[in-house]
């Protein structure tokens, strides 16, 4: 803690590939219990919105359960609740609903974008894609800080 380093447990997708096995800590309640059981203030939760979308139609309640335990986020989107790692607003996550919950719980951590497909883009389109990612990330910040209308 003296160096500002901690440990964050991430919510896994509700089921493994093929949907065969339910995973522990895919719900906010289980993730909170895991963090609390660790018994150290340096332990916290990391919320992956794409994974959360596979467990919750509305992630606001889940974020409220985590509250001050939340230390990190991953802003990835998916349309059919698969592991798509798309940029926000390009899938089915309701960002306008769930990101303001971060403001409500006084979240102070980072918002991390996870664009997985940069390596497949033609070189000529990478700058344009980066501009889009920046614009979407800026919108996410506005929503998470309670500044968006």
């Amino acid at each position: 803690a003296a160096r500002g380093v901690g440990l964050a447990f991430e919510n896994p997708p509700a089921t493994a590939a093929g949907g065969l096995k339910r995973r522990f800590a895919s719900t906010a309640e289980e993730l909170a219990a895991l963090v609390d059981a660790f018994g150290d203030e340096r332990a916290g939760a990391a919320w992956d919105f794409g994974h959360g979308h596979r467990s919750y139609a509305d992630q606001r309640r889940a974020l409220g359960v985590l509250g001050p335990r939340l230390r990190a986020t991953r802003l990835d989107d998916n349309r059919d609740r698969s592991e798509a790692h798309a940029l926000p607003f390009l899938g089915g996550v309701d960002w306008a609903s769930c990101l303001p919950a971060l403001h409500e719980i006084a979240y102070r951590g980072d918002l991390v974008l996870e664009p997985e497909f940069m390596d497949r883009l033609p070189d000529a389109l990478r700058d344009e894609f980066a501009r889009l990612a920046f614009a979407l990330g800026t919108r996410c910040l506005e929503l998470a800080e309670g500044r968006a209308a």
Side-chain angles (χ1 to χ4, degrees):
R3 294 190 176 149
V5 176
L7 177 67
F9 297 98
E10 182 177 318
N11 60 313
T15 56
L20 300 176
K21 185 176 182 182
R22 189 193 167 298
R23 294 181 174 178
F24 180 76
S26 61
T27 67
E29 292 80 8
E30 290 174 350
L31 185 57
L34 176 62
V35 169
D36 293 348
F38 200 77
D40 190 312
E41 68 181 26
R42 295 172 294 176
W47 190 256
D48 182 307
F49 282 90
H51 294 173
H53 185 232
R54 293 168 72 176
S55 298
Y56 296 93
D58 179 2
Q59 297 185 57
R60 292 180 66 87
R61 188 188 64 74
L63 295 168
V65 167
L66 294 173
R69 297 175 190 89
L70 189 61
R71 307 289 167 75
T73 63
R74 284 178 41 180
L75 305 181
D76 59 301
D77 210 334
N78 48 33
R79 182 167 302 283
D80 59 1
R81 300 188 182 207
S82 63
E83 192 72 9
H85 292 115
L87 287 171
F89 303 101
L90 301 180
V93 173
D94 185 355
W95 298 102
S97 171
C98 60
L99 285 176
L102 295 176
H103 179 69
E104 293 165 13
I105 65 169
Y107 176 69
R108 297 289 177 247
D110 294 327
L111 302 178
V112 178
L113 295 176
E114 188 180 15
E116 197 168 87
F117 307 107
M118 283 287 290
D119 60 333
R120 293 197 266 179
L121 283 174
D123 288 343
L125 297 177
R126 288 181 185 219
D127 286 348
E128 203 59 39
F129 182 83
R131 280 190 277 282
L132 174 63
F134 180 81
L136 294 173
T138 299
R139 179 65 175 163
C140 288
L141 278 172
E142 292 168 352
L143 288 165
E145 292 175 345
R147 295 187 289 126

